[in-house]
Amino acid sequence: MDETNKDILRLLSHDGRMSFTEIGEQLGISRVAVMKRVKKLEEEGIIHGYKAIIHQDDTIKMLLEIYAVDDDYEDILEYLNRTGYITEIYIMTGDNHIHATAVAPDVSELKYLTKMVRKKFADKIRRIEAHGVKEIIKDILGGVDYDRAGRERNKGNEQVP
């Protein structure tokens, strides 16, 4: 991948609605050249799609760390995948470690989810940890970026769910 493609990806990651003309003007290439490059990036699967990211202040995010007894945890993954609260699931390096992100409008729903996972898979889970997210510093997919000045202004006014 050349530098021009990297620049196109950088621009689109900040604003997926940016026009080919705007990108071309910033990079000093034609609209048609940008269009061809973007189409090729899409065909190669580098660009998976475009979507609007909706930020919801009224939701609570929780990170689940699940440590399975052994590497037979497909049923845990299936259960997490079917759960509407779970937005991301990762199999981590290390000892049978699963990371999942859950989002809900109320902390009680996330506590219930954790309780159900713990109960349903008691014989398959060595340890489960649930951590509520106090503050998001950077999430490029969710449109959140670090704002040091804003953090300084809001210190002392923090509320933990």
Side-chain angles (χ1 to χ4, degrees):
M1 179 177 307
D2 68 9
E3 289 303 312
T4 302
N5 281 354
K6 288 178 184 177
D7 289 338
I8 290 170
L9 292 173
R10 179 182 47 79
L11 290 170
L12 287 173
S13 71
H14 292 297
D15 182 1
R17 296 181 68 182
M18 190 174 221
S19 73
F20 296 146
T21 302
E22 292 171 314
I23 294 170
E25 287 172 356
Q26 286 203 24
L27 301 181
I29 60 177
S30 73
R31 174 189 63 81
V32 174
V34 173
M35 185 175 62
K36 286 179 181 178
R37 285 174 173 268
V38 168
K39 183 175 176 159
K40 187 170 184 191
L41 290 167
E42 290 170 345
E43 289 169 353
E44 292 175 354
I46 295 168
I47 296 176
H48 290 271
Y50 305 87
K51 62 181 177 180
I53 306 295
I54 312 300
H55 179 71
Q56 296 177 309
D57 283 334
D58 59 342
T59 60
I60 298 165
K61 185 178 274 193
M62 177 179 70
L63 306 178
L64 279 173
E65 301 295 333
I66 300 169
Y67 298 88
V69 172
D70 56 33
D71 62 359
D72 178 27
Y73 48 76
E74 287 299 319
D75 50 347
I76 298 171
L77 294 174
E78 269 185 46
Y79 181 81
L80 293 173
N81 198 36
R82 287 192 320 264
T83 303
Y85 297 122
I86 301 292
T87 58
E88 299 168 284
I89 303 171
Y90 302 96
I91 297 174
M92 308 299 288
T93 58
D95 194 20
N96 306 315
H97 182 187
I98 300 167
H99 171 89
T101 305
V103 179
D106 187 76
V107 73
S108 65
E109 294 175 53
L110 295 174
K111 286 180 180 179
Y112 180 75
L113 170 65
T114 306
K115 179 180 172 183
M116 291 309 297
V117 170
R118 185 177 278 127
K119 182 178 176 181
K120 184 169 182 62
F121 301 104
D123 60 330
K124 293 194 173 217
I125 293 177
R126 184 169 27 105
R127 185 171 94 231
I128 184 169
E129 298 174 4
H131 304 279
V133 174
K134 178 177 167 182
E135 181 178 9
I136 300 171
I137 301 300
K138 182 172 184 174
D139 177 357
I140 62 168
L141 298 177
V144 177
D145 205 352
Y146 183 67
D147 176 8
R148 182 180 209 127
R151 277 187 47 67
E152 291 298 321
R153 281 191 305 274
N154 292 325
K155 272 194 177 166
N157 297 332
E158 298 169 346
Q159 295 179 354
V160 180

